[in-house]
Amino acid sequence: MGKLILVRHGHTSLNKPGEDERLRAWLDVPLDETGLQEAVDTAEKLHGYPIEAIYCSDLKRARQTAQVLKRKVKARITATPELRPWNLGVFGGEKIKDILPFLNMLNERTDLAAPSGESFDQFYGRYSVRLQQLMTLADSTEGYVLAVT
């Protein structure tokens, strides 16, 4: 029986600490230098695990992280939109502190979609189906399946 390893993508320019942190959502922002180094560090930690496949979100930050990991683990990469984060539509790129009341409302009303985005229920449906497929795949393999989201 194999195992599923979940990896978060590396740091981006929108991951500023504190009051300047911005919501990434579906914005296709690349890793910054810190994020690239985080990916290298993660690859070093995963080196030696028998990883058979890498799945990642199709957003640039996840694909870049997966590419760095691939250099060490030598597994094929499959990019998929199902592993994208919650689509919060027009709020992508906004300062989190400025949209926090709306984000809290969306968390309470899981059926309500963000403008030009999706509801949490829609996100959960999309993401959880793909995650379940990856767990089933990991269960049927001898090695590991890696998911970068």
mmCIF file of all heavy atoms in Angstrom, residues 83-121:
data_model
loop_
_atom_site.group_PDB
_atom_site.id
_atom_site.type_symbol
_atom_site.label_atom_id
_atom_site.label_comp_id
_atom_site.label_asym_id
_atom_site.label_seq_id
_atom_site.Cartn_x
_atom_site.Cartn_y
_atom_site.Cartn_z
ATOM 1 N N LEU A 83 -7.061 20.637 -8.551
ATOM 2 C CA LEU A 83 -6.264 20.895 -7.354
ATOM 3 C C LEU A 83 -6.013 22.390 -7.121
ATOM 4 O O LEU A 83 -5.233 22.754 -6.242
ATOM 5 C CB LEU A 83 -4.936 20.131 -7.423
ATOM 6 C CG LEU A 83 -5.073 18.613 -7.313
ATOM 7 C CD1 LEU A 83 -3.722 17.944 -7.499
ATOM 8 C CD2 LEU A 83 -5.706 18.206 -5.996
ATOM 9 N N ARG A 84 -6.669 23.227 -7.893
ATOM 10 C CA ARG A 84 -6.565 24.668 -7.633
ATOM 11 C C ARG A 84 -7.217 25.000 -6.297
ATOM 12 O O ARG A 84 -8.102 24.289 -5.838
ATOM 13 C CB ARG A 84 -7.293 25.463 -8.717
ATOM 14 C CG ARG A 84 -6.544 25.568 -10.011
ATOM 15 C CD ARG A 84 -7.313 26.462 -10.968
ATOM 16 N NE ARG A 84 -6.558 26.686 -12.186
ATOM 17 C CZ ARG A 84 -6.751 27.711 -12.979
ATOM 18 N NH1 ARG A 84 -7.686 28.614 -12.700
ATOM 19 N NH2 ARG A 84 -6.018 27.866 -14.060
ATOM 20 N N PRO A 85 -6.800 26.121 -5.702
ATOM 21 C CA PRO A 85 -7.442 26.539 -4.450
ATOM 22 C C PRO A 85 -8.859 27.042 -4.707
ATOM 23 O O PRO A 85 -9.331 27.087 -5.849
ATOM 24 C CB PRO A 85 -6.541 27.669 -3.949
ATOM 25 C CG PRO A 85 -5.952 28.241 -5.195
ATOM 26 C CD PRO A 85 -5.767 27.068 -6.130
ATOM 27 N N TRP A 86 -9.505 27.443 -3.667
ATOM 28 C CA TRP A 86 -10.840 28.010 -3.729
ATOM 29 C C TRP A 86 -10.827 29.229 -4.640
ATOM 30 O O TRP A 86 -10.019 30.141 -4.472
ATOM 31 C CB TRP A 86 -11.269 28.373 -2.323
ATOM 32 C CG TRP A 86 -12.677 28.838 -2.135
ATOM 33 C CD1 TRP A 86 -13.668 28.917 -3.070
ATOM 34 C CD2 TRP A 86 -13.250 29.295 -0.912
ATOM 35 N NE1 TRP A 86 -14.821 29.392 -2.501
ATOM 36 C CE2 TRP A 86 -14.588 29.629 -1.167
ATOM 37 C CE3 TRP A 86 -12.757 29.445 0.376
ATOM 38 C CZ2 TRP A 86 -15.434 30.110 -0.184
ATOM 39 C CZ3 TRP A 86 -13.598 29.922 1.361
ATOM 40 C CH2 TRP A 86 -14.926 30.244 1.074
ATOM 41 N N ASN A 87 -11.706 29.251 -5.631
ATOM 42 C CA ASN A 87 -11.796 30.376 -6.556
ATOM 43 C C ASN A 87 -12.628 31.483 -5.904
ATOM 44 O O ASN A 87 -13.849 31.398 -5.856
ATOM 45 C CB ASN A 87 -12.428 29.944 -7.875
ATOM 46 C CG ASN A 87 -12.532 31.083 -8.875
ATOM 47 O OD1 ASN A 87 -12.137 32.214 -8.602
ATOM 48 N ND2 ASN A 87 -13.063 30.788 -10.043
ATOM 49 N N LEU A 88 -11.951 32.503 -5.435
ATOM 50 C CA LEU A 88 -12.628 33.622 -4.782
ATOM 51 C C LEU A 88 -12.787 34.811 -5.715
ATOM 52 O O LEU A 88 -12.967 35.949 -5.278
ATOM 53 C CB LEU A 88 -11.902 33.977 -3.488
ATOM 54 C CG LEU A 88 -12.101 32.888 -2.426
ATOM 55 C CD1 LEU A 88 -11.069 32.985 -1.330
ATOM 56 C CD2 LEU A 88 -13.504 32.934 -1.866
ATOM 57 N N GLY A 89 -12.746 34.536 -7.011
ATOM 58 C CA GLY A 89 -13.118 35.503 -8.036
ATOM 59 C C GLY A 89 -12.449 36.856 -7.912
ATOM 60 O O GLY A 89 -11.224 36.948 -7.864
ATOM 61 N N VAL A 90 -13.273 37.896 -7.846
ATOM 62 C CA VAL A 90 -12.788 39.278 -7.878
ATOM 63 C C VAL A 90 -11.922 39.633 -6.671
ATOM 64 O O VAL A 90 -11.243 40.659 -6.681
ATOM 65 C CB VAL A 90 -13.957 40.287 -7.972
ATOM 66 C CG1 VAL A 90 -14.762 40.066 -9.243
ATOM 67 C CG2 VAL A 90 -14.842 40.242 -6.747
ATOM 68 N N PHE A 91 -11.905 38.791 -5.652
ATOM 69 C CA PHE A 91 -11.124 39.100 -4.458
ATOM 70 C C PHE A 91 -9.666 38.672 -4.573
ATOM 71 O O PHE A 91 -8.845 39.037 -3.732
ATOM 72 C CB PHE A 91 -11.790 38.486 -3.220
ATOM 73 C CG PHE A 91 -13.130 39.089 -2.968
ATOM 74 C CD1 PHE A 91 -14.276 38.373 -3.235
ATOM 75 C CD2 PHE A 91 -13.250 40.385 -2.508
ATOM 76 C CE1 PHE A 91 -15.525 38.929 -3.027
ATOM 77 C CE2 PHE A 91 -14.490 40.962 -2.302
ATOM 78 C CZ PHE A 91 -15.637 40.236 -2.560
ATOM 79 N N GLY A 92 -9.324 37.927 -5.614
ATOM 80 C CA GLY A 92 -7.936 37.548 -5.835
ATOM 81 C C GLY A 92 -7.076 38.789 -6.002
ATOM 82 O O GLY A 92 -7.407 39.689 -6.754
ATOM 83 N N GLY A 93 -5.984 38.841 -5.266
ATOM 84 C CA GLY A 93 -5.067 39.972 -5.329
ATOM 85 C C GLY A 93 -5.355 41.069 -4.317
ATOM 86 O O GLY A 93 -4.526 41.956 -4.104
ATOM 87 N N GLU A 94 -6.509 41.005 -3.687
ATOM 88 C CA GLU A 94 -6.864 42.020 -2.687
ATOM 89 C C GLU A 94 -6.171 41.719 -1.358
ATOM 90 O O GLU A 94 -5.874 40.567 -1.046
ATOM 91 C CB GLU A 94 -8.378 42.057 -2.473
ATOM 92 C CG GLU A 94 -9.164 42.446 -3.707
ATOM 93 C CD GLU A 94 -8.867 43.868 -4.169
ATOM 94 O OE1 GLU A 94 -8.724 44.758 -3.314
ATOM 95 O OE2 GLU A 94 -8.787 44.075 -5.397
ATOM 96 N N LYS A 95 -5.949 42.781 -0.563
ATOM 97 C CA LYS A 95 -5.387 42.585 0.764
ATOM 98 C C LYS A 95 -6.406 41.827 1.612
ATOM 99 O O LYS A 95 -7.579 42.190 1.662
ATOM 100 C CB LYS A 95 -5.058 43.919 1.427
ATOM 101 C CG LYS A 95 -3.851 44.594 0.830
ATOM 102 C CD LYS A 95 -3.490 45.849 1.607
ATOM 103 C CE LYS A 95 -2.248 46.479 1.004
ATOM 104 N NZ LYS A 95 -1.867 47.689 1.749
ATOM 105 N N ILE A 96 -5.925 40.792 2.257
ATOM 106 C CA ILE A 96 -6.812 39.943 3.049
ATOM 107 C C ILE A 96 -7.518 40.763 4.124
ATOM 108 O O ILE A 96 -8.716 40.595 4.348
ATOM 109 C CB ILE A 96 -6.043 38.746 3.633
ATOM 110 C CG1 ILE A 96 -5.653 37.802 2.491
ATOM 111 C CG2 ILE A 96 -6.872 38.012 4.684
ATOM 112 C CD1 ILE A 96 -4.829 36.611 2.885
ATOM 113 N N LYS A 97 -6.816 41.676 4.743
ATOM 114 C CA LYS A 97 -7.434 42.479 5.808
ATOM 115 C C LYS A 97 -8.608 43.303 5.296
ATOM 116 O O LYS A 97 -9.552 43.556 6.024
ATOM 117 C CB LYS A 97 -6.405 43.392 6.484
ATOM 118 C CG LYS A 97 -5.935 44.532 5.605
ATOM 119 C CD LYS A 97 -4.999 45.463 6.364
ATOM 120 C CE LYS A 97 -4.581 46.582 5.456
ATOM 121 N NZ LYS A 97 -5.248 47.818 5.707
ATOM 122 N N ASP A 98 -8.578 43.668 4.023
ATOM 123 C CA ASP A 98 -9.652 44.491 3.451
ATOM 124 C C ASP A 98 -10.896 43.676 3.091
ATOM 125 O O ASP A 98 -11.991 44.231 2.990
ATOM 126 C CB ASP A 98 -9.161 45.227 2.199
ATOM 127 C CG ASP A 98 -8.090 46.263 2.515
ATOM 128 O OD1 ASP A 98 -7.994 46.688 3.696
ATOM 129 O OD2 ASP A 98 -7.345 46.633 1.589
ATOM 130 N N ILE A 99 -10.729 42.392 2.858
ATOM 131 C CA ILE A 99 -11.867 41.561 2.424
ATOM 132 C C ILE A 99 -12.276 40.533 3.469
ATOM 133 O O ILE A 99 -13.139 39.706 3.214
ATOM 134 C CB ILE A 99 -11.555 40.868 1.080
ATOM 135 C CG1 ILE A 99 -10.313 39.982 1.183
ATOM 136 C CG2 ILE A 99 -11.425 41.891 -0.043
ATOM 137 C CD1 ILE A 99 -10.070 39.098 -0.015
ATOM 138 N N LEU A 100 -11.679 40.619 4.639
ATOM 139 C CA LEU A 100 -11.953 39.640 5.681
ATOM 140 C C LEU A 100 -13.438 39.506 6.023
ATOM 141 O O LEU A 100 -13.918 38.373 6.164
ATOM 142 C CB LEU A 100 -11.131 39.955 6.929
ATOM 143 C CG LEU A 100 -10.893 38.807 7.884
ATOM 144 C CD1 LEU A 100 -10.363 37.571 7.190
ATOM 145 C CD2 LEU A 100 -9.948 39.233 8.981
ATOM 146 N N PRO A 101 -14.200 40.591 6.119
ATOM 147 C CA PRO A 101 -15.628 40.405 6.410
ATOM 148 C C PRO A 101 -16.345 39.558 5.351
ATOM 149 O O PRO A 101 -17.163 38.704 5.674
ATOM 150 C CB PRO A 101 -16.185 41.833 6.441
ATOM 151 C CG PRO A 101 -15.002 42.681 6.766
ATOM 152 C CD PRO A 101 -13.834 41.996 6.113
ATOM 153 N N PHE A 102 -15.996 39.768 4.080
ATOM 154 C CA PHE A 102 -16.629 38.990 3.024
ATOM 155 C C PHE A 102 -16.171 37.533 3.079
ATOM 156 O O PHE A 102 -16.978 36.611 2.904
ATOM 157 C CB PHE A 102 -16.354 39.596 1.650
ATOM 158 C CG PHE A 102 -17.187 38.970 0.578
ATOM 159 C CD1 PHE A 102 -18.516 39.316 0.412
ATOM 160 C CD2 PHE A 102 -16.661 37.988 -0.245
ATOM 161 C CE1 PHE A 102 -19.308 38.706 -0.558
ATOM 162 C CE2 PHE A 102 -17.437 37.373 -1.218
ATOM 163 C CZ PHE A 102 -18.764 37.735 -1.371
ATOM 164 N N LEU A 103 -14.875 37.313 3.326
ATOM 165 C CA LEU A 103 -14.372 35.935 3.440
ATOM 166 C C LEU A 103 -15.055 35.203 4.589
ATOM 167 O O LEU A 103 -15.410 34.024 4.457
ATOM 168 C CB LEU A 103 -12.857 35.933 3.636
ATOM 169 C CG LEU A 103 -12.027 36.466 2.469
ATOM 170 C CD1 LEU A 103 -10.548 36.485 2.833
ATOM 171 C CD2 LEU A 103 -12.264 35.677 1.204
ATOM 172 N N ASN A 104 -15.255 35.906 5.709
ATOM 173 C CA ASN A 104 -15.955 35.293 6.844
ATOM 174 C C ASN A 104 -17.390 34.925 6.466
ATOM 175 O O ASN A 104 -17.885 33.867 6.846
ATOM 176 C CB ASN A 104 -15.937 36.224 8.055
ATOM 177 C CG ASN A 104 -14.564 36.285 8.686
ATOM 178 O OD1 ASN A 104 -13.760 35.369 8.567
ATOM 179 N ND2 ASN A 104 -14.280 37.393 9.360
ATOM 180 N N MET A 105 -18.056 35.802 5.716
ATOM 181 C CA MET A 105 -19.423 35.512 5.282
ATOM 182 C C MET A 105 -19.452 34.280 4.369
ATOM 183 O O MET A 105 -20.322 33.421 4.499
ATOM 184 C CB MET A 105 -20.029 36.714 4.550
ATOM 185 C CG MET A 105 -21.480 36.473 4.136
ATOM 186 S SD MET A 105 -22.212 37.864 3.266
ATOM 187 C CE MET A 105 -21.255 37.878 1.765
ATOM 188 N N LEU A 106 -18.477 34.184 3.451
ATOM 189 C CA LEU A 106 -18.415 33.021 2.562
ATOM 190 C C LEU A 106 -18.146 31.739 3.330
ATOM 191 O O LEU A 106 -18.625 30.664 2.954
ATOM 192 C CB LEU A 106 -17.352 33.218 1.486
ATOM 193 C CG LEU A 106 -17.651 34.266 0.416
ATOM 194 C CD1 LEU A 106 -16.458 34.440 -0.514
ATOM 195 C CD2 LEU A 106 -18.894 33.900 -0.371
ATOM 196 N N ASN A 107 -17.380 31.833 4.399
ATOM 197 C CA ASN A 107 -17.133 30.662 5.248
ATOM 198 C C ASN A 107 -18.391 30.232 5.991
ATOM 199 O O ASN A 107 -18.592 29.050 6.244
ATOM 200 C CB ASN A 107 -16.010 30.944 6.243
ATOM 201 C CG ASN A 107 -14.651 30.809 5.605
ATOM 202 O OD1 ASN A 107 -14.420 29.926 4.797
ATOM 203 N ND2 ASN A 107 -13.738 31.690 5.972
ATOM 204 N N GLU A 108 -19.228 31.202 6.356
ATOM 205 C CA GLU A 108 -20.478 30.887 7.044
ATOM 206 C C GLU A 108 -21.562 30.411 6.083
ATOM 207 O O GLU A 108 -22.348 29.538 6.410
ATOM 208 C CB GLU A 108 -20.973 32.118 7.806
ATOM 209 C CG GLU A 108 -20.108 32.478 8.985
ATOM 210 C CD GLU A 108 -20.498 33.796 9.625
ATOM 211 O OE1 GLU A 108 -21.609 34.298 9.355
ATOM 212 O OE2 GLU A 108 -19.680 34.326 10.395
ATOM 213 N N ARG A 109 -21.608 30.996 4.905
ATOM 214 C CA ARG A 109 -22.597 30.649 3.878
ATOM 215 C C ARG A 109 -21.889 29.861 2.786
ATOM 216 O O ARG A 109 -21.544 30.411 1.737
ATOM 217 C CB ARG A 109 -23.230 31.915 3.283
ATOM 218 C CG ARG A 109 -24.098 32.720 4.215
ATOM 219 C CD ARG A 109 -25.545 32.232 4.213
ATOM 220 N NE ARG A 109 -26.062 31.822 2.934
ATOM 221 C CZ ARG A 109 -26.655 32.624 2.043
ATOM 222 N NH1 ARG A 109 -26.794 33.907 2.298
ATOM 223 N NH2 ARG A 109 -27.117 32.137 0.906
ATOM 224 N N THR A 110 -21.671 28.608 3.020
ATOM 225 C CA THR A 110 -20.856 27.797 2.112
ATOM 226 C C THR A 110 -21.487 27.584 0.742
ATOM 227 O O THR A 110 -20.814 27.132 -0.183
ATOM 228 C CB THR A 110 -20.534 26.434 2.752
ATOM 229 O OG1 THR A 110 -21.763 25.746 3.034
ATOM 230 C CG2 THR A 110 -19.731 26.617 4.032
ATOM 231 N N ASP A 111 -22.780 27.942 0.601
ATOM 232 C CA ASP A 111 -23.463 27.815 -0.686
ATOM 233 C C ASP A 111 -23.348 29.090 -1.524
ATOM 234 O O ASP A 111 -23.706 29.093 -2.700
ATOM 235 C CB ASP A 111 -24.932 27.486 -0.476
ATOM 236 C CG ASP A 111 -25.671 28.578 0.286
ATOM 237 O OD1 ASP A 111 -25.084 29.145 1.238
ATOM 238 O OD2 ASP A 111 -26.822 28.878 -0.060
ATOM 239 N N LEU A 112 -22.839 30.168 -0.941
ATOM 240 C CA LEU A 112 -22.759 31.465 -1.610
ATOM 241 C C LEU A 112 -21.442 31.583 -2.373
ATOM 242 O O LEU A 112 -20.366 31.403 -1.795
ATOM 243 C CB LEU A 112 -22.867 32.584 -0.566
ATOM 244 C CG LEU A 112 -22.909 34.011 -1.076
ATOM 245 C CD1 LEU A 112 -24.148 34.245 -1.940
ATOM 246 C CD2 LEU A 112 -22.901 34.975 0.109
ATOM 247 N N ALA A 113 -21.529 31.887 -3.670
ATOM 248 C CA ALA A 113 -20.321 32.011 -4.498
ATOM 249 C C ALA A 113 -19.745 33.412 -4.405
ATOM 250 O O ALA A 113 -20.477 34.395 -4.340
ATOM 251 C CB ALA A 113 -20.647 31.683 -5.950
ATOM 252 N N ALA A 114 -18.430 33.487 -4.420
ATOM 253 C CA ALA A 114 -17.753 34.781 -4.530
ATOM 254 C C ALA A 114 -18.053 35.345 -5.922
ATOM 255 O O ALA A 114 -18.203 34.577 -6.884
ATOM 256 C CB ALA A 114 -16.247 34.603 -4.353
ATOM 257 N N PRO A 115 -18.149 36.674 -6.065
ATOM 258 C CA PRO A 115 -18.380 37.244 -7.396
ATOM 259 C C PRO A 115 -17.302 36.776 -8.383
ATOM 260 O O PRO A 115 -16.111 36.866 -8.095
ATOM 261 C CB PRO A 115 -18.296 38.750 -7.160
ATOM 262 C CG PRO A 115 -18.632 38.926 -5.714
ATOM 263 C CD PRO A 115 -18.083 37.705 -5.032
ATOM 264 N N SER A 116 -17.718 36.227 -9.508
ATOM 265 C CA SER A 116 -16.835 35.661 -10.536
ATOM 266 C C SER A 116 -16.040 34.461 -10.035
ATOM 267 O O SER A 116 -15.011 34.113 -10.604
ATOM 268 C CB SER A 116 -15.875 36.720 -11.097
ATOM 269 O OG SER A 116 -16.582 37.791 -11.648
ATOM 270 N N GLY A 117 -16.508 33.840 -8.947
ATOM 271 C CA GLY A 117 -15.796 32.701 -8.379
ATOM 272 C C GLY A 117 -16.736 31.554 -8.093
ATOM 273 O O GLY A 117 -17.719 31.343 -8.809
ATOM 274 N N GLU A 118 -16.444 30.825 -7.041
ATOM 275 C CA GLU A 118 -17.242 29.664 -6.684
ATOM 276 C C GLU A 118 -17.552 29.695 -5.187
ATOM 277 O O GLU A 118 -16.880 30.382 -4.418
ATOM 278 C CB GLU A 118 -16.524 28.362 -7.055
ATOM 279 C CG GLU A 118 -15.227 28.118 -6.323
ATOM 280 C CD GLU A 118 -14.432 26.922 -6.840
ATOM 281 O OE1 GLU A 118 -14.952 26.069 -7.564
ATOM 282 O OE2 GLU A 118 -13.240 26.849 -6.493
ATOM 283 N N SER A 119 -18.561 28.931 -4.800
ATOM 284 C CA SER A 119 -18.873 28.787 -3.386
ATOM 285 C C SER A 119 -17.893 27.800 -2.763
ATOM 286 O O SER A 119 -17.219 27.037 -3.468
ATOM 287 C CB SER A 119 -20.306 28.266 -3.218
ATOM 288 O OG SER A 119 -20.389 26.918 -3.636
ATOM 289 N N PHE A 120 -17.853 27.790 -1.438
ATOM 290 C CA PHE A 120 -17.009 26.800 -0.767
ATOM 291 C C PHE A 120 -17.508 25.397 -1.084
ATOM 292 O O PHE A 120 -16.703 24.477 -1.276
ATOM 293 C CB PHE A 120 -16.962 27.022 0.748
ATOM 294 C CG PHE A 120 -16.052 26.030 1.415
ATOM 295 C CD1 PHE A 120 -14.682 26.221 1.422
ATOM 296 C CD2 PHE A 120 -16.560 24.872 1.990
ATOM 297 C CE1 PHE A 120 -13.832 25.292 2.003
ATOM 298 C CE2 PHE A 120 -15.722 23.933 2.571
ATOM 299 C CZ PHE A 120 -14.356 24.144 2.580
ATOM 300 N N ASP A 121 -18.826 25.231 -1.150
ATOM 301 C CA ASP A 121 -19.382 23.910 -1.481
ATOM 302 C C ASP A 121 -18.905 23.448 -2.854
ATOM 303 O O ASP A 121 -18.576 22.265 -3.040
ATOM 304 C CB ASP A 121 -20.907 23.941 -1.445
ATOM 305 C CG ASP A 121 -21.467 24.115 -0.038
ATOM 306 O OD1 ASP A 121 -20.741 23.884 0.947
ATOM 307 O OD2 ASP A 121 -22.655 24.496 0.067
#
